[in-house]
Amino acid sequence: MAKEGNHTIELNDGSTVEINPRISIKKLRKLQNEGMLPASLLNAFVGAEKEPEKMEPYLINAAWIGFANANPTTMMAQDEFEDKITLDFALFGEILAEMVGGAAKSDGKLAQGFKRSTKK
């Protein structure tokens, strides 16, 4: 049974793994310092519609972040995980949107811009 906040996704080899997109503020700051997430999530989301290429690396990173968050003792490296997951911007966008939670939902313009940018 999955822990609260966890979801199961299927990898391209048919195996399934749990992800948990919900992160703490401390984790957010750490990921921002590592360049895994943008320094300003709100600014990145607002500009996503006009410059979707700026969000691309963060969308891709969201899948790894969700996996590592749900599996803190994993022996799988990010490179190995990325080799096993199919490129799916819709999935990555859902993970990132859940990661930022209420912020994306509360700002209609923000959410709409992000939604449109991930459909390209």
Side-chain angles (χ1 to χ4, degrees):
M1 182 170 175
K3 293 180 188 175
E4 184 178 338
N6 286 12
H7 308 287
T8 302
I9 61 171
E10 186 174 339
L11 301 178
N12 58 21
D13 64 1
S15 66
T16 59
V17 295
E18 286 191 12
I19 62 160
N20 184 345
R22 302 308 305 243
I23 58 172
S24 67
I25 293 171
K26 181 177 180 178
K27 182 81 169 187
L28 169 65
R29 292 185 195 283
K30 180 180 183 285
L31 293 165
Q32 287 172 322
N33 285 336
E34 294 171 354
M36 296 288 289
L37 290 174
S40 171
L41 285 172
L42 293 177
N43 191 34
F45 276 107
V46 170
E49 184 177 355
K50 293 179 183 166
E51 300 175 292
E53 68 278 0
K54 286 187 177 181
M55 282 302 292
E56 187 174 315
Y58 306 121
L59 283 167
I60 293 169
N61 288 342
W64 167 251
I65 293 167
F67 172 75
N69 196 39
N71 303 279
T73 60
T74 186
M75 298 302 288
M76 189 182 311
Q78 183 175 357
D79 188 55
E80 181 183 356
F81 174 79
E82 290 179 350
D83 190 43
K84 292 183 176 186
I85 191 161
T86 302
L87 185 62
D88 183 342
F89 282 113
L91 172 64
F92 302 160
E94 289 172 17
I95 294 169
L96 188 57
E98 188 171 348
M99 195 174 292
V100 298
K105 293 176 193 168
S106 66
D107 184 333
K109 181 179 177 187
L110 177 73
Q112 287 299 345
F114 178 69
K115 188 175 181 181
R116 282 191 296 270
S117 72
T118 59
K119 289 190 178 195
K120 294 181 180 180

